[in-house]
Amino acid sequence: MLRATLLRLGRDHHVLVIALHHIVSDAWSLGVLMRELAQLYDAFCDGRTSPLADLPVQFPDAVLWQRELAQERRASAQLAFWHQALAGCTGLLDLPTDRPRSSAPLGRGGRQPLLLPAPLINGVAELARREGATLFMALLAAFQCLLARYSGQDDIVVGTPVANRGAAELEPLIGLFVNTLPLRGDLSGDPSFRQLLARTKAHCLDALDHAEAPLERIVDELRIERVPGRTPLFQTMFVLQNASGGSSPLRGLASEWIEPELHTARFELTLSLGEIDAEAGMSGVLDYDLDLFEPATAERMTRQFETLLRAALADPDRPLSQLCLLSGRERSELLQLGDGGAVTTAAAATEAAATESCLYALFAQQAALTPDAVALVEPGRELSYAELLRRTNGLGQRLQALGVGPEVRVAVLTDRSAEAIIAVLGVLAAGGAYVPLDPAHPDERLNFLLADASAQVLLAPPAWLERARALGNPVTLLSTDAVADADTAPVVALTETHAAYVIYTSGSTGLPKGVVVEQRGAVNLVRGFMARHDFVGQRLLMIPPLVFDASVGDVFPVLASGSALVLHPTPTELGPSELERFCRDHQVTAIDAPAALWRRWSEG
């Protein structure tokens, strides 16, 4: 379990390599080992025998004690606490990643160093002290806040190691005592950082009182659902290391502790902090899964963690959602993409053209400029911009009569058809937010989305009316062809912060979650696409369905450029020859498809 090798690099330069198996050691043990090594070195230099006193308790004694404890009622009380503390918790964190997750991760790890300046870390420590908390609690709260901002979740579980040496007799032992605690962060209700710190403090104190329950027992007892490729209960770790091995001075020698370079990742993210220099501050590292995150993403995470700490320290009573994550340079870069500007009215196409901060205005402006150009193409049918504008104006007025306006959600049973595009534009014309639903999904999911989004109207193309009726949902049902065309757009008071659409996640890691995108965000996305790609004069074959957010980058840049959107019910099922024939028949000039689909077409 212990191997040691002395490497002689020169007459006065040596490296002592110690390999100590984790099954009999932990970080605390390294500190014990280095202190004893220094004591022995000093004694042997003087020709003395070992100065180390016999230990009254040995590691096997501690193992037997733990086994006995597991049989006592105290173990049941410990597990009962975790049942309550983690009730209703899936433990799955939906972090946005640079690459898709794999069911069999390779465990390749990267490491990003960070340094929290001394004035900042001292300020955080002082804030924690005033609130009766510890520096660990404050840094953990900030890390959970960062994860919540990235994931959009308000229930965040982070793992953290604890020494688990409650008895004084265990402190001088070398052995594996460390346990990992799943610390649950409650960020519901958009609390301030001060309020979150109070919640974190309370949970940490309770968790530490019940730190003897092994993590494996907690996972087994709670019957946590196992997801391939993901660790149960938590996928991120936070470590504040105050028991590292470090360097104990050896008489007559200049020595330093050398950390081995690790290239593995046990978790998606592990933030480790510990070494504090009075002048420089607190150093640490962010270990990350290289199969999920790019090095540039990890560097940005460490930078934004520091920015978040500064914002929380500057105004601890500000709601977490308002704490800034961006540096001044990042904010400037984003603002250069376009700030949107407030939308005051969409009374007519010309007025909509004057205010470009809503999706419908982008389309209406182009329709006024190129009314005779082809906007939508599908087998056996073409619609000009003027025709599409009249259809959506009429649908928008009908929806307004049903009470649709800003922040009102309208579900759209969609496919890749002209009627589906008309439905989406009609909702936007009324000032509402569209919620796309896939008719191929089961009734249970569709009814859940209708209820969760609080949809007031279910809009369906004629081909899907029966499917909509089969849901049996009491929401108002409207067919896209049951309205008259109109030459004027509905009058609606819309601002850039009103919702444009709500798209739901798959729900593979739990219940589906709706992501609300504001008008300004959607418009900036469309403008970004238009700045990078030339859509003018193109006929783009739409690939992503409307239930995927990638569809926004197909539909709206095309309709804001005077180009044509070509629709096929199932383009991803076309073979290479069928695709070629369809594109030739409908004069398709552009396709935006993922690499896997291009590969299948090219290899077919």
Side-chain angles (χ1 to χ4, degrees):
M1 296 292 101
L2 170 66
R3 290 176 293 155
T5 303
L6 184 67
L7 305 178
R8 183 171 184 176
L9 306 182
R11 193 168 72 92
D12 296 322
H13 189 192
H14 299 76
V15 175
L16 176 61
V17 181
I18 299 177
L20 190 58
H21 202 294
H22 203 351
I23 200 171
V24 293
S25 67
D26 50 23
W28 185 292
S29 300
L30 296 182
V32 174
L33 177 65
M34 296 309 297
R35 287 194 299 273
E36 293 187 350
L37 180 64
Q39 291 175 313
L40 290 169
Y41 184 85
D42 188 63
F44 295 162
C45 283
D46 292 338
R48 294 184 283 116
T49 59
S50 170
L52 303 180
D54 292 336
L55 294 172
V57 175
Q58 297 286 344
F59 185 57
D61 299 321
V63 173
L64 290 174
W65 175 72
Q66 275 197 341
R67 289 181 178 175
E68 292 172 358
L69 180 67
Q71 307 300 323
E72 296 177 359
R73 285 183 295 179
R74 179 172 172 80
S76 299
Q78 294 259 325
L79 291 172
F81 163 79
W82 290 109
H83 269 285
Q84 180 179 1
L86 299 173
C89 174
T90 66
L92 292 173
L93 185 64
D94 290 330
L95 287 175
T97 60
D98 298 315
R99 302 182 184 91
R101 290 186 175 85
S102 169
S103 59
L106 301 177
R108 298 187 309 121
R111 173 163 282 198
Q112 174 63 41
L114 75 155
L115 177 65
L116 301 175
L120 172 62
I121 202 65
N122 292 336
V124 174
E126 176 60 21
L127 172 62
R129 187 192 65 78
R130 291 199 304 268
E131 299 300 317
T134 63
L135 179 61
F136 169 84
M137 295 170 185
L139 294 171
L140 172 64
F143 186 48
Q144 289 180 321
C145 177
L146 185 70
L147 297 176
R149 293 284 293 272
Y150 285 158
S151 65
Q153 299 171 236
D154 58 16
D155 188 0
I156 306 293
V157 181
V158 172
T160 194
V162 291
N164 206 23
R165 297 179 185 238
E169 295 84 357
L170 303 181
E171 293 182 4
L173 293 185
I174 293 177
L176 179 59
F177 294 90
V178 68
N179 190 22
T180 304
L181 299 185
L183 299 181
R184 189 176 189 178
D186 177 13
L187 293 91
S188 61
D190 196 16
S192 67
F193 186 78
R194 195 189 305 275
Q195 291 170 326
L196 176 62
L197 180 55
R199 297 179 187 180
T200 304
K201 170 188 172 182
H203 182 72
C204 283
L205 292 176
D206 286 341
L208 290 172
D209 282 341
H210 300 84
E212 296 169 4
L215 178 64
E216 296 80 3
R217 285 286 305 277
I218 295 174
V219 172
D220 290 341
E221 288 286 333
L222 269 63
R223 298 181 181 178
I224 299 295
E225 180 183 359
R226 303 294 183 119
V227 177
R230 309 199 72 184
T231 54
L233 262 184
F234 53 85
Q235 296 81 51
T236 58
M237 285 278 288
F238 176 74
V239 182
L240 183 60
Q241 191 58 269
N242 54 8
S244 60
S247 294
S248 294
L250 300 177
R251 191 173 69 182
L253 300 180
S255 61
E256 64 174 324
W257 178 268
I258 303 175
E259 287 282 354
E261 292 187 9
L262 300 178
H263 301 284
T264 58
R266 294 180 56 205
F267 298 93
E268 294 180 11
L269 295 173
T270 299
L271 178 60
S272 302
L273 300 170
E275 295 297 327
I276 299 180
D277 183 276
E279 296 182 358
M282 174 179 278
S283 61
V285 294
L286 179 68
D287 292 302
Y288 59 95
D289 189 334
L290 264 175
D291 296 313
L292 295 178
F293 304 104
E294 295 283 355
T297 301
E299 190 274 333
R300 184 172 63 251
M301 287 178 175
T302 59
R303 189 173 64 247
Q304 292 184 341
F305 178 69
E306 179 181 343
T307 303
L308 177 65
L309 276 175
R310 291 185 183 278
L313 187 60
D315 189 355
D317 295 310
R318 181 184 293 272
L320 297 179
S321 63
Q322 297 180 22
L323 295 181
C324 184
L325 297 183
L326 303 179
S327 65
R329 179 177 59 83
E330 290 171 325
R331 288 175 60 85
S332 297
E333 290 175 354
L334 286 176
L335 289 173
Q336 288 175 6
L337 295 176
D339 62 1
V343 175
T344 57
T345 180
T350 53
E351 291 179 357
T355 57
E356 298 181 357
S357 294
C358 69
L359 287 178
Y360 189 72
L362 295 182
F363 157 69
Q365 175 187 15
Q366 188 60 49
L369 295 173
T370 58
D372 298 326
V374 175
L376 300 180
V377 179
E378 64 182 354
R381 184 186 186 190
E382 290 187 357
L383 275 177
S384 69
Y385 273 84
E387 292 172 319
L388 181 58
L389 182 64
R390 288 194 294 271
R391 287 291 310 277
T392 57
N393 283 344
L395 181 57
Q397 291 183 10
R398 178 64 183 278
L399 288 171
Q400 273 198 341
L402 294 174
V404 175
E407 296 304 323
V408 174
R409 316 290 170 76
V410 177
V412 180
L413 206 58
T414 69
D415 53 11
R416 296 182 189 85
S417 69
E419 290 298 323
I421 303 299
I422 291 169
V424 166
L425 289 174
V427 175
L428 295 172
Y434 70 90
V435 185
L437 307 181
D438 189 341
H441 286 164
D443 291 2
E444 181 182 8
R445 174 184 171 89
L446 297 183
N447 281 319
F448 171 81
L449 299 190
L450 285 168
D452 189 69
S454 300
Q456 293 192 15
V457 179
L458 173 57
L459 199 53
W464 294 110
L465 272 178
E466 290 305 316
R467 177 74 181 93
R469 292 192 181 99
L471 295 176
N473 197 289
V475 68
T476 302
L477 178 61
L478 179 66
S479 174
T480 56
D481 67 345
V483 295
D485 294 355
D487 292 325
T488 57
V491 177
V492 54
L494 199 62
T495 70
E496 60 182 11
T497 59
H498 282 135
Y501 55 87
V502 183
I503 289 183
Y504 277 80
T505 62
S506 64
S508 58
T509 60
L511 291 176
K513 303 174 186 65
V515 179
V516 181
V517 178
E518 296 177 345
Q519 292 282 352
R520 59 183 173 183
V523 169
N524 283 339
L525 176 66
V526 173
R527 285 176 174 165
F529 272 98
M530 295 174 69
R532 292 191 299 271
H533 306 287
D534 184 10
F535 287 90
V536 177
Q538 301 288 352
R539 284 193 166 211
L540 178 72
L541 176 61
M542 179 179 172
I543 297 297
L546 287 166
V547 292
F548 291 159
D549 59 352
S551 63
V552 177
D554 272 12
V555 174
F556 295 99
V558 168
L559 296 180
S561 303
S563 302
L565 187 68
V566 183
L567 303 156
H568 184 284
T570 54
T572 57
E573 297 178 12
L574 294 174
S577 58
E578 296 172 307
L579 175 68
E580 181 183 5
R581 188 181 311 112
F582 180 85
C583 291
R584 184 176 58 250
D585 292 344
H586 297 86
Q587 302 174 20
V588 172
T589 62
I591 303 175
D592 181 18
L597 191 54
W598 283 116
R599 187 178 301 112
R600 180 164 65 81
W601 280 334
S602 62
E603 293 174 352

